Amino acid sequence: MSYLSYINPTATSPWHTYLAQVDRVLPYLGPLARWAETLKRPKRALIVDVPIEMDDGSVQHFEGFRVQHNLSRGPGKGGVRYHPDVNLEEVMALAAWMTIKNAGVGLPYGGAKGGIRVDPKLLSNKELERMTRRYTSEIGIIIGPQRDIPAPDVNTNPQIMAWMMDTYSMNTGSTATGVVTGKPIHLGGSLGRVKATGRGVFVTGREAARRIGLKLDGARVAVQGFGNVGSAAAELFVGAGAKIVAVQDHTGTLANPRGFDMAGLMGTLHRDGGVGNFREGERIGNEAFWDVDCDIMIPAALEGQITPERANRMKAKLVLEGANGPTLPEADDVLHDRGILVVPDVICNAGGVTVSYFEWVQDFSSFFWSEDEINVRLDKIMIDALKKIWDTADHHKITLRTATFAVACERILIAREERGLYP
Ligand code: NAD
């Protein structure tokens, strides 16, 4: 491992997790391993001050970040997160996982990520807009349709992408729809984008389940995080005959061995912004979520959730990482030893960035595809990527995570080698 002087990662921090994942892949990179240090350093990290006038006339300052981890294969691509825990090290790790993810599914992008350290629930809509616009202006010196293309992540959505696109366009003097993805449909957004990440979780999960002989019809699924990713994946699993037996979000944890009524759960989500007050099932302690009897577990909230201790208690046969970085490296080993298959984030949740790529392509050509076309292309990319990763895992007798890193790092480092070092 190698650490940079401006951060101080702990054993459970995301950057430490990422570095440990890179170290595990080094034996499979052959002569390309001589370039591996390039994966352990972000190419560029920007920290910006975001001052805004609050509705009461006071001024508040927020800390914003944009990290471009690696641009060897193309422009930076990755979401923007609004959360009180956002910090440079977390954004570095999230940017790095984008590098791996984009290469793993074969998209012509590098990896980037951004964020603001803020609890957006404490802001009015106007304050949220002013903060988004000022942040976009500040990072405007490094983003652009050919340079780095932000997208939604935790607590950001199509409206925030619309403000980002408008701000960037105002600053550059012409409408640049391709500067962000995940936009509203009539502003150059793509059909299928909102549910794409959840769909990718479902498609990779369905393929993995088939390969290990787990039937989706009647399968019991537990979902942590019932936002954009978790709720969309849950709906598709229910559509395939599975039942949601436990759900957890920031408003609480519910269990129902008979399976929740999905329409009711979605209704509560839209009404309350969370599912904690849904009338069905039993309200259980947050920690008890990890003991729930289930076949498939989908962590779709934040990183660092599956610790070795929780991994030892989990009952699932299959873990589908909707969230980025939900499993600590030591917990990965526990799951592996216990015969629990993990479809890692870097492939499992790549559906979102894949349809973001479609959106970016559509924006450049100003020609838009039908939702069916989007979904067919998405499914094919996800299925092909999983097959390649599965074959690599079989060949080297390694986990799907290390196999994804092997496939991705090879592509990134070949690009690095072919481009050569400047000057
Ligand atoms: P979101 O804001 O729509 O939802 C986040 C969910 O997590 C909410 O249900 C929230 O209640 C829950 N949550 C927050 N803190 C929690 C806690 N402490 N315990 C339990 N639940 C908690 O965000 P999202 O877009 O669904 O993103 C979820 C994860 O998926 C993140 O790790 C994100 O990086 C990853 N991801 C998102 C996308 C995308 O397209 N949105 C793409 C790839 C990966």
Side-chain angles (χ1 to χ4, degrees):
M1 279 199 212
S2 85
Y3 288 120
L4 302 159
S5 61
Y6 46 86
I7 53 155
N8 187 18
T10 62
T12 56
S13 65
W15 184 249
H16 176 97
T17 298
Y18 166 74
L19 290 182
Q21 292 166 346
V22 171
D23 280 342
R24 285 177 181 209
V25 82
L26 296 181
Y28 307 101
L29 294 181
L32 286 171
R34 83 184 183 94
W35 293 101
E37 187 65 20
T38 197
L39 299 167
K40 296 185 173 186
R41 294 162 181 273
K43 177 180 179 60
R44 189 175 286 132
L46 180 65
I47 304 177
V48 294
D49 176 35
V50 184
I52 61 159
E53 188 170 334
M54 307 301 281
D55 293 345
D56 66 4
S58 65
V59 175
Q60 268 196 36
H61 292 254
F62 300 95
E63 203 177 352
F65 306 89
R66 186 75 190 170
V67 173
Q68 294 169 349
H69 171 259
N70 188 290
L71 305 179
S72 296
R73 301 182 75 252
K77 186 90 193 80
V80 172
R81 176 175 293 197
Y82 290 173
H83 195 276
D85 294 338
V86 164
N87 58 57
L88 175 62
E89 200 208 313
E90 181 189 58
V91 180
M92 280 165 51
L94 292 167
W97 283 321
M98 288 309 299
T99 303
I100 303 297
K101 193 182 305 182
N102 291 332
V105 283
L107 306 180
Y109 290 134
K113 201 86 177 189
I116 305 181
R117 192 173 175 84
V118 61
D119 183 351
K121 295 183 183 70
L122 303 179
L123 301 184
S124 72
N125 208 40
K126 280 287 159 203
E127 290 166 343
L128 190 63
E129 178 176 351
R130 286 197 287 276
M131 184 186 73
T132 299
R133 288 187 181 280
R134 181 61 188 254
Y135 168 71
T136 308
S137 276
E138 295 294 341
I139 65 166
I141 53 174
I142 61 169
I143 64 169
Q146 308 281 9
R147 306 173 81 190
D148 179 3
I149 306 110
D153 190 69
V154 175
N155 291 327
T156 54
N157 56 32
Q159 174 60 76
I160 289 172
M161 295 305 114
W163 291 329
M164 291 188 76
M165 188 276 276
D166 183 69
T167 304
Y168 181 85
S169 299
M170 288 293 144
N171 287 345
T172 54
S174 63
T175 299
T177 52
V179 68
V180 290
T181 56
K183 299 180 295 296
I185 298 299
H186 53 279
L187 286 180
S190 177
L191 294 168
R193 173 62 184 90
V194 172
K195 299 201 167 183
T197 308
R199 188 177 177 87
V201 171
F202 170 72
V203 170
T204 51
R206 183 189 62 198
E207 294 302 302
R210 184 177 58 75
R211 285 165 181 263
I212 62 170
L214 172 64
K215 281 200 168 49
L216 288 193
D217 196 14
R220 297 158 305 161
V221 182
V223 187
Q224 185 202 36
F226 214 66
N228 176 304
V229 178
S231 66
E235 280 188 304
L236 287 163
F237 274 104
V238 169
K243 51 187 181 180
I244 307 300
V245 293
V247 56
Q248 175 179 92
D249 71 5
H250 70 286
T251 61
T253 307
L254 296 173
N256 182 355
R258 291 187 307 282
F260 287 106
D261 161 38
M262 223 21 227
L265 208 52
M266 293 303 289
T268 304
L269 176 67
H270 291 135
R271 192 190 62 216
D272 298 351
V275 292
N277 288 323
F278 186 47
R279 54 185 155 70
E280 262 185 24
E282 183 195 352
R283 198 175 170 106
I284 59 173
N286 285 345
E287 196 52 39
F289 175 80
W290 304 99
D291 299 314
V292 164
D293 214 357
C294 63
D295 303 302
I296 299 175
M297 185 162 267
I298 307 179
L302 300 169
E303 55 266 18
Q305 295 297 302
I306 304 185
T307 60
E309 194 267 324
R310 287 174 176 170
N312 260 313
R313 286 157 41 205
M314 285 164 54
K315 311 270 194 313
K317 303 174 186 76
L318 180 60
V319 175
L320 305 176
E321 293 188 337
N324 285 306
T327 308
L328 298 177
E330 299 74 22
D332 244 349
D333 295 339
V334 174
L335 294 174
H336 181 67
D337 292 348
R338 294 189 58 216
I340 300 173
L341 180 69
V342 179
V343 182
D345 49 4
V346 276
I347 169 72
C348 191
N349 70 29
V353 70
T354 301
V355 176
S356 273
Y357 165 59
F358 296 162
E359 179 175 334
W360 184 72
V361 169
Q362 292 170 86
D363 285 341
F364 277 122
S365 56
S366 293
F367 180 78
F368 291 87
W369 312 342
S370 72
E371 188 156 359
D372 280 350
E373 279 175 282
I374 302 275
N375 287 341
V376 167
R377 287 176 200 254
L378 170 62
D379 291 6
K380 178 166 173 24
I381 287 182
M382 299 300 292
I383 290 168
D384 290 352
L386 188 71
K387 180 176 185 317
K388 164 97 179 149
I389 287 159
W390 200 284
D391 291 347
T392 305
D394 272 353
H395 178 71
H396 290 299
K397 306 269 173 290
I398 51 179
T399 62
L400 290 182
R401 190 186 315 281
T402 303
T404 312
F405 269 69
V407 169
C409 291
E410 184 178 88
R411 290 175 179 162
I412 298 158
L413 298 181
I414 285 176
R416 176 72 277 145
E417 191 161 72
E418 285 172 350
R419 287 178 72 151
L421 271 189
Y422 174 87

